[in-house]
Each structure stands twice: as structure tokens, then as C-alpha cells.
Amino acid sequence: MSSRAINDNAGKANSSVEAATAETTAPDLKVPDEKCLSSDGLEPCTIVIIGASGDLTARKLMPALYNLFMHGALPDAFAIVGCSRTELTHEEFRNKMRDAVSKSDNFDDKRWQAFAQRLYYRSVELDEAAVESFKNFAGWLNALDETHKTGGNKFFYLAIAPTLYAAAAGLIGRAGLAEEKQNGTGWSRIVVEKPFGRNLRTAVALDRSLHQHFNEHQIFRIDHYLAKETVQNVLMFRFANAIFEPLWNQRYIDRVRITAAETLGVEHRAGYYEQAGVLRDMFQNHMMQLLSLTAMEPPSLFEADRVQDEKTKVFRSLRPFPVDDLKSYLVLGQYGEGTVEGKQVPAYRHEPGVKPDSLTPTFASMKVFIDNWRWQGVPFYLTSGKRLARKLTEISIVFKEVPHSMFRRMFGEPISANRLTLGIYPEEKITLTFQAKNPGAAVQLRPVTMDFPYSQNYHGPVLEAYEKVLIDSIRGDHMLFWRQDGVELCWSFLTPILDECESCSNRQEMLLTYEAGSWGPVEAHQISR
């Protein structure tokens, strides 16, 4: 959510890039003078991706870095180093990344050649015996820093399994790569992906291991949902306008629904998902962040710590979940076979890598309450699942019905309540539904909708979520990242639910099967009013 300078001066410029290798001298990369995202204020740095041979790097990180480069949004001086156990040469890594990036619409071979001159690769191990090799790696990075004039600035992106976070952070620290210079130059940062532990205990243990070598200002806990443009817009919509905020409370709002539905199944993530399930995968992070943005109080300033303070107040105010009455507040499901987007798909238990008797939930719908003055008594319905009818992420605010209907004798049934919907994906828009007279001689009401497409009247470049995350990591801006107290508060809320669900005697009975391509178990409607 940090400010982003946009240069709207369109133009064309010829650019020439001399082929050179970083082993001799850093190439002079020139960006065409076109509509681009400004790199003003971005310090030179080396971006180190640990786990670079994996899927995340090929699908998300490298395309994001290449797009930033194409928009002129990376620092003038930078280098990108991929690391993993796989043995690859620099050229083999560059070719592998080219295959991944060439699928994008804006791929340009000449520009790729310039970008590729900043790509390097080192094979590393992540076990205790790898300390000496990491120290050698540190020496190599220092030499690369001299070549590319990156000022000793570096950040480490852990694109690896969460179980390896602590080991990787420890090796980075013991190699001296986490140290920062006293004069404020030569910073070092580490970026970790969710999940941050499996429960409260493991989340605290992970945080302690990270802090053995990194200070809090060096740690960036990523939640890519927060980097979505429409998620960032929730705060702008609420606090930059005077229309809705006076109504944003229990006096006028009847209920809030937050939905994150996916059509995809477990895909290639069965090894991770079998250990996580939907509650750890979606609720501890994405759903809680959407909840906090919807329910938080206005911060005094739009600064990272002030915004984080207000989010943690929401988490502290969550009513303890009634684990002794789960069925009234929580519905869990697992997808069976069905049809999604016209294609027959297998049941979760028939997916590769999934146990045939798996009790891992792929769907959850829960009713939660926030015990404070603004939201007392208002239910928040959080729903997320895989293999649902369509991909949809939205926040729906349902207002209370009119206190007295003078039309009751004419229509004979309740008037539909006003509804405000903040569409996050795939339709990035805001809609407001209200009642109006139907044209004609008869007096009839009809619901009508006002739409605001988020991209309306905007023609500049838009950052994808991972592009925004990478830029803010370079800036050192924590606005879109988790703070540890928020992580622990959310785990404190969810851990009792997980413990009860995973240890109760009727676990199999609680897990309801739903047809792939549906909206989940029909029982999910029972927890709605």
C-alpha cells in the first residue's frame, strides 16, 4: 500500500544494450522512455531467491521481476541470484527462466537478453553441514556486489518449503549475510511466505529462529492477497470517503460475508495441502487479513505501524470460538468428483499424493464475531474452498432492512436489504444494490445496482501482487506484510479450532463431501441466519 509514483509521459526512445557479462563489468541497462513505473528512491540491491529451481520462482517471482524490469521499476543497479540444491550453470538457469518468462504477453527477446545479464545461479544445500559453503557463497555475493555496484544491499526470498525456513535463515545468518552496516548502508532483508508455522507454538518457534540473526525491521512476512490492488483499495474506499464510514457499524450493518472461492483442486500441492488443509492454507492468513481490513478502525496516519496497530486490535477483539458447539459455527467439507468449467474432475481423495482415506478439509465456512463497540453482534461469515462453482473473491456488506416498511401492504413481502460488494477477483469492482421504482404505471420496486469497475478511466500499468511485494521489499515498506503480533493473535484464535477438529472423535462425521463444481456442502447455509 505504499505510494507508487507513476510516470505518464509517453514517448519512444531507442535503446541499445551492449552484451557484457557481470564477471567483467556490469552492463549499462537503459529503459525505453515509455509509460512506466518509476524506480525513483529504490536503492541498488541483489535479490537472492533460495529455492529458485521450484515452481514459485518460475510461475510468479521471475515473471514479476521481468515485468518490473520491462516497466523500468527495478533499481538502476541490481542483480538476481537463484539458489537451490539442483546443479545448474548460470546459462542453464537463464535458459530455464527464459522458458518460464517467454509465456508472458510482453516478452521481448532483446530486452530479455539485457535482463538475463543480471541473472546468476549458485547451488546450495540447506543442512547443518552447509555453513562453510554458505560462507563461500557470501564471498561470491560480495564480489558480485562490486561488479554490479549494489552497495551491499541484499534481500533473501525464501521460495522453499516452510519446514526449511529456520534452517535457511540460520545459514544466511551464520554466513554473515544478515548483518547490516552501522552507517545505515548495506541493508539485509529476508522474505518468508505463508504459512507462518502450523499453530501458535510453531509460529512462535519460527519467529525466534528468524530473530536469532535478523531484527524485526529486516523480516518481511508475505501475504500476496494484501498486494492485490482491490484489497489495497478497501482502506482507500473506507477512509478517504465520508459516505460509508458513518454507516460502517452494528447500527446499520446486518452481516458481512467474505468469500474466497477457487475452481482449482489441490493440483501439484498435495504434499503441502495434506499437512495444512483449508484452515491453515487460507484462514490463518488471507481470510484474517480481509477481515481486519473490513473491520479495523481508521489509523491516525497511513503508515505501516499505525495500520498494523489497528489490525491487531481487530484480532484481539475476536470472540473466542465456541469449540464445544462447532456445528453451529463451522462447516468443513472435502470435494468429491464432479464437473468444473465443463470438465470432469476427480475427488480430492483420488488426487495424486492424497491419502485414499484423507480427512483433510478443502472447504470451510465459519461464523465469527468481533467484540467491540463498532461490531458487537454483527456476524462475519468467512468462506473458502477448492473446486467450487467459480473463482470468486469478494467482501459483501449487507445492511439492515428498513426499520418500518410503509410499502408492506402493497408488496406483501420484505424489501431486500441494501448490499455493498467489494469485488476483488475476477471482477475488480465495487457495486451498490438498492431499491428503486420499476418504470410503468404500477407501483413496483426492483433492485438496481450501481457499478464501479476498478480500472475505469485508468490506462497506466498495474502491478500484479508479486510485483508489488518485490517492490515494497526493496523499499523496506512493511505496509503489505504481516507483523508478528498479528500472526500470533490469529494463531491464538485458530489453534483451538484446529485442535478440536483434528482430535475430536467424530472427525469423519464433521467432514462433509460436496460435489466439485458446486458451492460447497449445503449444510454451510445452516450457520447463516
Side-chain angles (χ1 to χ4, degrees):
M1 295 182 191
S2 61
S3 61
R4 180 171 72 237
I6 302 293
N7 178 3
D8 286 323
N9 295 322
K12 294 182 179 179
N14 296 321
S15 65
S16 62
V17 180
E18 293 186 4
T21 61
E23 282 80 0
T24 54
T25 181
D28 179 21
L29 303 182
K30 296 181 180 179
V31 178
D33 183 17
E34 58 184 9
K35 282 187 177 181
C36 65
L37 300 164
S38 173
S39 61
D40 293 347
L42 291 184
E43 298 179 83
C45 68
T46 299
I47 301 165
V48 182
I49 303 174
I50 298 180
S53 64
D55 184 65
L56 177 62
T57 302
R59 286 193 309 111
K60 297 293 185 181
L61 299 182
M62 199 57 65
L65 289 166
Y66 175 72
N67 286 337
L68 290 173
F69 172 75
M70 289 293 287
H71 286 306
L74 288 179
D76 292 334
F78 73 92
I80 301 170
V81 178
C83 302
S84 72
R85 291 190 176 101
T86 307
E87 293 285 347
L88 292 173
T89 65
H90 297 319
E91 201 58 36
E92 286 172 336
F93 179 66
R94 290 165 184 164
N95 290 336
K96 181 181 173 69
M97 293 300 101
R98 186 188 187 282
D99 290 341
V101 171
S102 62
K103 298 173 185 176
S104 62
D105 295 334
N106 68 337
F107 182 77
D108 180 278
D109 190 65
K110 289 184 178 179
R111 298 296 297 150
W112 169 259
Q113 294 301 323
F115 177 75
Q117 294 302 314
R118 301 297 181 98
L119 287 183
Y120 300 90
Y121 185 84
R122 290 276 293 198
S123 176
V124 298
E125 295 290 337
L126 296 179
D127 53 39
E128 289 295 324
V131 176
E132 286 304 316
S133 66
F134 252 81
K135 289 181 179 179
N136 294 333
F137 177 45
W140 182 83
L141 279 179
N142 290 334
L144 193 69
D145 175 61
E146 290 294 323
T147 299
H148 286 282
K149 311 301 181 188
T150 51
N153 300 323
K154 61 187 75 70
F155 80 82
F156 299 87
Y157 199 111
L158 303 190
I160 52 180
T163 53
L164 298 175
Y165 288 166
L171 288 169
I172 293 168
R174 280 180 281 175
L177 292 170
E179 297 175 1
E180 295 187 313
K181 296 179 182 178
Q182 295 295 326
N183 60 5
T185 62
W187 47 256
S188 178
R189 296 167 187 153
I190 188 168
V191 181
V192 296
E193 289 254 2
K194 63 93 175 172
F196 315 111
R198 283 182 49 81
N199 49 34
L200 178 59
R201 178 183 57 80
T202 55
V204 171
L206 173 60
D207 183 62
R208 287 175 179 167
S209 66
L210 293 176
H211 278 94
Q212 286 181 0
H213 301 284
F214 292 90
N215 295 314
E216 180 62 24
H217 74 272
Q218 296 176 271
I219 302 172
F220 290 75
R221 303 171 187 86
I222 176 180
D223 186 336
H224 69 271
Y225 256 53
L226 285 174
K228 293 178 182 292
E229 285 283 354
T230 40
V231 173
Q232 297 174 57
N233 188 53
V234 174
L235 291 189
M236 310 301 170
F237 175 80
R238 287 189 57 195
F239 301 133
N241 300 291
I243 298 177
F244 290 104
E245 188 57 25
L247 310 179
W248 212 264
N249 55 59
Q250 49 84 20
R251 291 184 61 191
Y252 299 99
I253 292 177
D254 183 71
R255 60 192 181 275
V256 178
R257 295 187 182 277
I258 301 176
T259 304
E262 297 181 86
T263 56
L264 290 176
V266 70
E267 303 298 310
H268 57 278
R269 302 171 67 219
Y272 157 73
Y273 204 85
E274 273 287 88
Q275 300 299 316
V278 68
L279 291 177
R280 290 187 177 89
D281 187 50
M282 291 294 294
F283 281 73
Q284 189 277 331
N285 37 75
H286 303 329
M287 303 303 284
M288 284 297 164
Q289 284 289 356
L290 294 178
L291 172 67
S292 68
L293 291 172
T294 306
M296 65 185 279
E297 298 296 324
S300 57
L301 287 173
F302 191 64
E303 294 178 352
D305 275 345
R306 306 287 181 95
V307 173
Q308 299 281 14
D309 288 344
E310 298 304 329
K311 286 183 179 181
T312 56
K313 288 180 184 178
V314 174
F315 301 143
R316 287 192 182 98
S317 300
L318 284 168
R319 183 183 299 176
F321 206 78
V323 293
D324 56 342
D325 186 22
L326 283 180
K327 285 190 175 181
S328 299
Y329 294 86
L330 174 68
V331 172
L332 298 176
Q334 185 186 87
Y335 65 82
E337 63 181 16
T339 303
V340 178
E341 298 175 347
K343 296 181 180 179
Q344 189 70 21
V345 297
Y348 176 76
R349 293 180 180 179
H350 297 157
E351 298 276 17
V354 175
K355 298 176 183 178
D357 58 350
S358 173
L359 295 178
T360 300
T362 62
F363 172 95
S365 184
M366 65 168 59
K367 177 166 63 175
V368 303
F369 292 90
I370 299 172
D371 286 338
N372 61 19
W373 278 43
R374 181 186 287 262
W375 295 113
Q376 189 64 40
V378 177
F380 285 75
Y381 299 99
L382 312 182
T383 301
S384 182
K386 291 186 172 297
R387 288 290 192 217
L388 296 180
R390 64 188 177 98
K391 188 170 179 62
L392 174 70
T393 304
E394 68 177 22
I395 301 169
S396 181
I397 314 296
V398 182
F399 291 89
K400 292 185 176 180
E401 296 179 6
V402 292
H404 171 72
S405 175
M406 66 183 191
F407 305 107
R408 62 187 183 280
R409 293 182 180 177
M410 301 172 65
F411 305 131
E413 52 186 50
I415 299 173
S416 299
N418 303 131
R419 183 185 299 264
L420 176 70
T421 301
L422 308 178
I424 295 169
Y425 191 88
E427 294 182 295
E428 298 181 333
K429 65 179 184 179
I430 299 172
T431 63
L432 177 63
T433 302
F434 56 92
Q435 299 294 326
K437 181 184 177 296
N438 200 45
V443 179
Q444 293 180 329
L445 285 178
R446 62 169 178 163
V448 295
T449 301
M450 289 197 306
D451 286 334
F452 164 64
Y454 186 69
S455 59
Q456 180 177 321
N457 298 327
Y458 177 75
H459 305 288
V462 176
L463 287 178
E464 296 296 332
Y466 274 92
E467 294 169 27
K468 178 63 174 166
V469 164
L470 289 164
I471 283 292
D472 283 356
S473 299
I474 298 173
R475 291 188 190 279
D477 187 344
H478 281 84
M479 183 73 76
L480 300 182
F481 297 83
W482 278 85
R483 201 168 65 184
Q484 181 62 18
D485 56 350
V487 172
E488 293 183 13
L489 286 166
C490 289
W491 275 126
S492 296
F493 175 74
L494 281 171
T495 295
I497 305 174
L498 290 165
D499 289 345
E500 180 65 23
C501 290
E502 294 173 353
S503 64
C504 63
S505 59
N506 62 338
R507 184 178 177 186
Q508 187 165 354
E509 179 186 331
M510 282 194 62
L511 189 65
L512 306 171
T513 301
Y514 62 95
E515 182 182 355
S518 69
W519 281 110
V522 294
E523 290 84 352
H525 300 293
Q526 295 175 2
I527 64 172
S528 303
R529 292 195 309 179

